[in-house]
Amino acid sequence: MDTVTVGIVDRGYDIYIGEDILTKTGCLCRRHNTGRKAAIITNTVVSGLFLEHLKSVLEEAGFTVYTIEIADGEEHKNLDTLKVIFDRLIEFGFDRSSLLLALGGGVVGDITGFAAATFLRGVPFVQLPTTLLAQVDSSVGGKTGVNHEKGKNLIGAFYQPRMVLIDTATLDSLPSREFLSGLAEIVKYGIVLDGEFFEFLSKNVDNLLKRDKSCLGRAIKRSCEIKASIVKQDEKETGLRAVLNYGHTLGHAVETLTGYKKFSHGEAVAIGMANAAKISESMGLSSRSDTERICATIKMLGLPLALPVFPSSAYIDVMLHDKKMKDGGIRFVLNKGIGDFRISQVDDLHRLLKISGIGD
Ligand SMILES: NC(=O)c1ccc[n+]([C@@H]2O[C@H](COP(=O)([O-])OP(=O)(O)OC[C@H]3O[C@@H](n4cnc5c(N)ncnc54)[C@H](O)[C@@H]3O)[C@@H](O)[C@H]2O)c1
């Protein structure tokens, strides 16, 4: 079992990574000073895979375990589902010492974290992420929340879990598109924050795609270390944490313009990263060979590179409505070579899109 510590003052916690560590959930939870009532919040897909096992190890450790199953899918990450969770917690007689456990991907993790942040003004919670994206990204760092009909993640709180337990065995059942979404985020860490890690990833694409446990474990651990270090320095995203949006500004535009149907999140981020790399090169921040290496790695993973064709005005409208907009332009994350970054205010969005082959 590997451990990564998120060293936030007063709210620090450990991330445990290993195969089959769900089995240890009970004894690891006992180390925390919580009550004996615990609720596992999961969804209808994940419950069939891991719920019974998790429930039994918690019961063996002395917890009285309740379960709340929510419907599967991003469309259920909303206030209606949150109300169902609150209703059940009240029904169970939960108090401020009771523990919530989020068993699932980013949707379950985000909504459970927000329920934990707000129920009785805050109860302890543990993240048990079961998608690769949740393991390397959403379960770490304390961003919790739900969507509103006017936009994604508009309602939320920064609220850190008591610990994160990453069981790499849970990835065996993950559909390939979901798996690739996580790999795109892993590659992102390498491109903007750790050149050696990028090198390791690009040399191990086959092993990663085969879900080789040792290679994957190493990639997950390094990703968590990188995210933990950024979160420690800028927990509430007042500056540095924005680096994690690399590839996401264009990626979100792609998702919005294609109605969240054509591309998965990871595919959209991959397109965003490939084009951010081209833009970085055009600004003199990186070389042609850096861009080629980034694009080659994305391609080897089987992820797309080209922006879908829409008028540049459509891209600009979407990007300006994105919450990363600042004073009319956007804050755009660029790669400096491979392994470093710069965040630049970009006002001439037409030029930026032209570099990516959009517009005339
Ligand atoms: N809090 C943050 O910092 C942060 C960061 C990035 C993304 N997010 C959020 O995360 C969400 C996306 O997370 P996601 O990609 O994990 O999506 P998800 O939670 O919808 O999971 C993807 C699919 O995989 C299924 N699944 C989960 N684990 C499985 C397993 N082990 N085997 C088989 N199927 C499994 C789920 O039921 C779902 O159908 C979005 O809501 C996004 O806003 C949050």
Side-chain angles (χ1 to χ4, degrees):
M1 184 164 81
D2 282 313
T3 309
V4 174
T5 299
V6 184
I8 304 171
V9 179
D10 296 338
R11 291 181 298 285
Y13 53 96
D14 287 330
I15 305 167
Y16 300 100
I17 306 159
E19 215 174 336
D20 294 321
I21 58 168
L22 269 191
T23 307
K24 299 202 171 82
T25 312
C27 59
L28 288 168
C29 284
R30 284 287 298 275
R31 289 187 192 170
H32 294 269
N33 192 16
T34 69
R36 290 297 167 84
K37 278 185 170 180
I40 303 169
I41 301 178
T42 186
N43 73 24
T44 46
V45 170
V46 180
S47 67
L49 298 165
F50 316 113
L51 180 61
E52 280 316 310
H53 177 53
L54 180 63
K55 198 167 177 258
S56 70
V57 296
L58 284 164
E59 282 170 351
E60 275 164 30
F63 287 93
T64 305
V65 184
Y66 301 80
T67 58
I68 303 174
E69 264 183 56
I70 63 174
D72 182 36
E74 182 71 33
E75 66 274 25
H76 299 288
K77 194 177 110 176
N78 58 27
L79 290 170
D80 294 338
T81 309
L82 191 67
K83 182 180 180 307
V84 172
I85 295 173
F86 289 148
D87 290 348
R88 300 294 307 279
L89 296 176
I90 292 166
E91 210 179 284
F92 300 154
F94 268 37
D95 62 29
R96 211 174 263 165
S97 73
S98 308
L99 179 66
L100 305 193
L101 296 105
L103 175 69
V107 167
V108 167
D110 278 12
I111 197 166
T112 303
F114 189 53
T118 47
F119 185 68
L120 301 176
R121 299 195 179 84
V123 296
F125 92 109
V126 166
Q127 289 272 19
L128 302 157
T130 61
T131 64
L132 187 56
L133 180 133
Q135 296 184 348
V136 298
D137 189 0
S138 62
S139 69
V140 176
K143 273 195 193 176
T144 71
V146 294
N147 302 326
H148 184 272
E149 59 204 27
K150 296 282 184 201
K152 283 194 69 182
N153 300 318
L154 288 184
I155 302 156
F158 285 97
Y159 191 69
Q160 302 295 342
R162 288 293 179 93
M163 66 176 171
V164 181
L165 270 175
I166 298 178
D167 188 335
T168 51
T170 60
L171 297 175
D172 290 345
S173 52
L174 196 64
S176 141
R177 256 184 137 187
E178 302 297 346
F179 184 73
L180 279 176
S181 277
L183 282 184
E185 300 293 345
I186 291 175
V187 168
K188 172 192 79 179
Y189 292 124
I191 299 173
V192 280
L193 290 155
D194 185 344
E196 257 177 50
F197 184 44
F198 177 83
E199 191 64 28
F200 165 78
L201 296 170
S202 59
K203 286 198 175 124
N204 280 282
V205 166
D206 285 347
N207 287 331
L208 290 166
L209 290 174
K210 273 193 254 157
R211 307 190 191 191
D212 172 85
K213 284 285 154 27
S214 128
C215 188
L216 209 47
R218 193 167 153 193
I220 292 170
K221 181 175 183 224
R222 184 66 196 128
S223 299
C224 288
E225 283 169 352
I226 293 172
K227 181 140 189 198
S229 144
I230 297 293
V231 168
K232 182 186 170 191
Q233 295 171 70
D234 180 20
E235 183 188 3
K236 305 223 164 131
E237 199 170 322
T238 53
L240 176 69
R241 192 163 173 171
V243 62
L244 302 176
N245 291 326
Y246 181 75
H248 284 62
T249 305
L250 279 169
H252 284 159
V254 168
E255 285 181 294
T256 308
L257 290 172
T258 53
Y260 287 89
K261 289 203 174 78
K262 186 162 188 234
F263 297 103
S264 69
H265 178 68
E267 288 164 348
V269 168
I271 294 171
M273 293 193 297
N275 288 284
K278 286 185 200 161
I279 293 162
S280 307
E281 182 193 333
S282 82
M283 291 186 172
L285 290 171
S286 58
S287 66
R288 168 66 54 89
S289 113
D290 293 331
T291 309
E292 283 169 359
R293 286 171 63 212
I294 291 169
C295 290
T297 303
I298 292 173
K299 201 169 167 202
M300 280 190 295
L301 287 167
L303 289 163
L305 300 167
L307 282 171
V309 178
F310 286 95
S312 51
S313 56
Y315 272 102
I316 290 170
D317 279 353
V318 173
M319 286 196 285
L320 289 180
H321 277 98
D322 195 288
K323 55 182 186 285
K324 282 169 272 311
M325 174 184 80
K326 223 183 179 186
D327 308 328
I330 53 167
R331 270 153 61 79
F332 204 85
V333 188
L334 300 157
N335 56 291
K336 248 168 94 180
I338 294 181
D340 200 0
F341 69 96
R342 191 164 95 188
I343 301 178
S344 284
Q345 175 78 9
V346 177
D347 297 318
D348 189 351
L349 294 172
H350 282 286
R351 178 169 171 266
L352 185 135
L353 286 160
K354 214 167 153 194
I355 297 161
S356 305
I358 297 288
D360 30 53

